[in-house]
Amino acid sequence: MRNKIKGIKIIKSYERIYFNLFLVTFISLSLLIFISYVRITEKNINQLIDQPYDIFSILLISLIIVGIVSICFYIFAKKQLRYLGNLNKLCKVITNNGFYIMEDKKNQKQVVYFPQFYYFEDAQKILITIKLDGSKFHQNFLELGSIFEQLFNCELQSQIVKNGYIYYEMFKLGDVKRISLTDNMAVRENNYKIPLMSNLQWDVIKVPHAFITGPTGAGKTYFLFYLIKYLLEFKCIVKIIDPKKSNLSKLSSVLGESNVAFDKETIIRQLEESENEMNDRYITMHDSRSFKVNETFVDSNLRPYFLIFDEFVSFTDLCDESEKDFVYEKINHIILKGRQVGIFIILTTQRTEEETLRSSIIGNLGLRVSLGNLSRAGYEILFGDVDKQYGKRTENGQGYIYLNGVSNNVLEFYSPLIPDDYDFIEDIRRIAEKNGTTFQHPTDGGTMPYGYAAQN
């Protein structure tokens, strides 16, 4: 019954798995007690038949023991019970939808076709494998993702058809732990991987550029500060644009006013400087005698450079058409060309209306996060037209995430917990003091006061 590759094969008897388990346990205990009673009392079958009270007592004792065992199993083996329950659910997906065929044989109904479904789970994931055999249910088997998500309280991570099988791989939401900022997570400056949840991390080099959206009070600012903290821990170059002059603007006292832009003039200049930095890096890398095809900024000992543009849609609303086109042009250039030379961008906005965003931008951002609740249209603009049922987000920092290359689907997301007494500004100040008082880089005429070693 056990298939090492695909898990437990589902059979029709799993439709009544709890009853069958109870019946097998009851019969086994009854036989065991009956045999023990016969050996102890040395009575034969005829004597027991003449004394039905003894048989009734044996059955009653067996029933009581089964009841005690069942209660203990429920208290101490909930995980195993849930596992059996999932086998039962998967079997009912087959039977309730009529994905099997029965025919009359010898004056009785018999199952002549039952599909090959396999169930496997570990601490964090559930894998459901279905053999595609060309039956009339073939198309149905390809459309079970949303049903599995709701039945097993999971988020579909990937749906792959390969070698005649379809594989549904899902994250177990009930077991996904929301991490906290205070968790003991070691930071290696050349690792460039930011933990997002216990089973999810963002490799900022392999998955370039990010987009974060959500209404006021959804936790977007705290999540953005969390990312900035990690980028500075990695000794990345960080430039910030805060047109509303809100929370991020306070970092000017730590990172320096030249690295935090507020007004239209300095914002435009910051965009130009970031694009110039990108172009300069291309020239520097390509003019190097040691440059090889497909080399990146890491091979040239250049630090990652992050431009964080908070509420960029609100800023473009204040621009005339020529200025708006300029802003989108610079952002597009960085998104399309920045990865190889280590220039990255993080965009945030409260609004995701179609008329305020351009699809050419969204489609090229590797990390996309929504916090709080968006309209169906907002989700489609951010994540595309995917087969996904978006539930109501009730907790601060709760939303959805798409991470290119890590998951082919949109996943439920919980941003890291931030303690109430935590002071981001002071913590970032501590990081700045540890790394040096300036965040200038060579093309600005400065130095690298806290050093940099390329990632191997």
Side-chain angles (χ1 to χ4, degrees):
M1 188 65 66
R2 180 78 181 179
N3 186 309
K4 293 183 179 179
I5 298 177
K6 307 180 188 71
I8 296 291
K9 184 178 180 181
I10 304 301
I11 56 179
K12 196 173 186 302
S13 61
Y14 289 168
E15 189 177 14
R16 301 195 306 170
I17 194 168
Y18 289 125
F19 175 78
N20 292 339
L21 180 63
F22 175 85
L23 188 62
V24 169
T25 305
F26 176 73
I27 293 174
S28 300
L29 280 173
S30 298
L31 288 174
L32 180 62
I33 295 172
F34 179 81
I35 293 172
S36 301
Y37 180 81
V38 168
R39 287 186 174 181
I40 292 172
T41 61
E42 297 182 349
K43 293 182 178 180
N44 56 40
I45 299 297
N46 292 328
Q47 289 175 315
L48 288 174
I49 293 175
D50 292 336
Q51 298 176 333
Y53 178 78
D54 290 345
I55 297 178
F56 176 78
S57 299
I58 291 172
L59 295 176
L60 181 61
I61 293 171
S62 300
L63 188 62
I64 293 173
I65 294 176
V66 170
I68 294 173
V69 170
S70 298
I71 293 172
C72 293
F73 201 72
Y74 177 78
I75 295 174
F76 300 108
K78 288 185 178 181
K79 185 176 180 180
Q80 288 75 8
L81 278 175
R82 186 180 63 182
Y83 186 89
L84 293 177
N86 286 345
L87 297 179
N88 174 256
K89 288 178 182 178
L90 191 52
C91 183
K92 285 186 175 181
V93 169
I94 299 171
T95 58
N96 291 345
N97 287 282
F99 294 154
Y100 66 103
I101 299 173
M102 297 188 71
E103 292 181 357
D104 288 321
K105 285 193 174 183
K106 298 180 180 179
N107 297 323
Q108 64 178 2
K109 292 280 189 179
Q110 293 186 12
V111 176
V112 296
Y113 169 81
F114 200 82
Q116 295 185 40
F117 278 50
Y118 299 86
Y119 180 87
F120 174 81
E121 71 169 278
D122 58 22
Q124 295 182 336
K125 295 180 182 179
I126 288 177
L127 175 66
I128 295 176
T129 306
I130 305 172
K131 184 176 182 180
L132 300 174
D133 52 14
S135 70
K136 63 180 180 180
F137 311 115
H138 183 100
Q139 189 60 36
N140 299 103
F141 296 159
L142 300 174
E143 300 171 351
L144 294 173
S146 61
I147 293 177
F148 289 155
E149 281 187 320
Q150 296 169 40
L151 278 179
F152 299 106
N153 189 32
C154 291
E155 288 283 344
L156 185 62
Q157 181 188 17
S158 65
Q159 178 178 334
I160 301 171
V161 177
K162 185 178 180 181
N163 297 331
Y165 290 88
I166 180 167
Y167 302 88
Y168 291 98
E169 187 175 20
M170 299 172 287
F171 281 129
K172 295 164 67 173
L173 295 180
D175 294 332
V176 172
K177 294 182 180 179
R178 186 176 186 179
I179 62 174
S180 171
L181 181 71
T182 56
D183 289 344
N184 185 22
M185 293 175 288
V187 175
R188 293 181 297 166
E189 73 175 58
N190 298 328
N191 186 24
Y192 304 125
K193 295 178 180 178
I194 301 178
L196 301 178
M197 292 196 297
S198 63
N199 60 344
L200 200 63
Q201 60 182 3
W202 177 28
D203 188 326
V204 301
I205 306 301
K206 292 183 178 179
V207 185
H209 314 305
F211 187 96
I212 304 167
T213 186
T216 302
K220 178 165 57 68
T221 299
Y222 277 126
F223 181 52
L224 198 54
F225 267 114
Y226 173 83
L227 297 179
I228 292 172
K229 166 185 162 61
Y230 263 90
L231 294 177
L232 295 177
E233 290 273 17
F234 294 148
K235 299 184 178 178
C236 300
I237 299 165
V238 177
K239 304 286 184 175
I240 294 173
I241 295 176
D242 184 3
K244 288 190 173 182
K245 204 172 184 179
S246 54
N247 292 293
L248 292 186
S249 66
K250 298 175 183 177
L251 289 176
S252 61
S253 64
V254 179
L255 306 182
E257 293 185 359
S258 62
N259 294 310
V260 183
F262 317 117
D263 56 74
K264 184 183 291 187
E265 182 181 349
T266 56
I267 289 173
I268 296 296
R269 187 165 61 247
Q270 187 69 269
L271 287 169
E272 288 179 327
E273 289 178 358
S274 298
E275 185 184 42
N276 291 337
E277 170 71 10
M278 179 179 70
N279 294 331
D280 289 344
R281 287 188 174 200
Y282 267 107
I283 294 172
T284 300
M285 288 172 57
H286 285 247
D287 286 349
S288 172
R289 292 182 178 180
S290 60
F291 177 78
K292 298 178 181 179
V293 176
N294 293 328
E295 278 193 357
T296 68
F297 69 99
V298 175
D299 302 295
S300 298
N301 289 343
L302 294 170
R303 288 181 293 161
Y305 177 115
F306 277 83
L307 175 64
I308 300 172
F309 199 154
D310 191 28
E311 294 298 342
F312 83 101
V313 170
S314 297
F315 174 72
T316 58
D317 286 345
L318 303 175
C319 299
D320 58 35
E321 284 304 313
S322 62
E323 290 170 333
K324 184 180 294 187
D325 289 340
F326 175 88
V327 170
Y328 274 102
E329 178 187 358
K330 300 304 177 186
I331 291 175
N332 267 321
H333 284 175
I334 293 173
I335 290 174
L336 296 176
K337 295 176 55 181
R339 178 181 183 179
Q340 185 178 14
V341 293
I343 308 295
F344 306 107
I345 194 166
I346 298 176
L347 302 172
T348 83
T349 182
Q350 291 183 15
R351 295 155 48 203
T352 54
E353 295 90 346
E354 190 169 3
E355 62 270 15
T356 61
L357 294 176
R358 301 186 181 181
S359 58
S360 59
I361 287 181
I362 300 294
N364 288 292
L365 301 172
L367 171 66
R368 302 173 217 164
V369 176
S370 72
L371 297 174
N373 295 291
L374 304 183
S375 65
R376 180 71 194 188
Y379 284 123
E380 288 183 0
I381 291 169
L382 186 60
F383 301 121
D385 187 12
V386 297
D387 182 19
K388 179 74 176 179
Q389 295 294 324
Y390 297 100
K392 186 175 179 59
R393 307 294 86 189
T394 57
E395 297 183 39
N396 188 269
Q398 184 184 17
Y400 291 97
I401 187 171
Y402 169 79
L403 197 55
N404 187 31
V406 176
S407 171
N408 296 324
N409 293 277
V410 181
L411 305 175
E412 188 171 20
F413 176 65
Y414 290 85
S415 64
L417 289 168
I418 310 298
D420 292 336
D421 58 350
Y422 181 77
D423 190 331
F424 268 112
I425 302 298
E426 287 306 311
D427 195 21
I428 290 175
R429 191 187 306 279
R430 175 190 61 79
I431 298 170
E433 290 175 352
K434 181 181 70 173
N435 292 339
T437 57
T438 177
F439 285 81
Q440 288 181 309
H441 48 90
T443 56
D444 287 334
T447 59
M448 293 185 183
Y450 41 79
Y452 176 76
Q455 180 183 8
N456 293 324

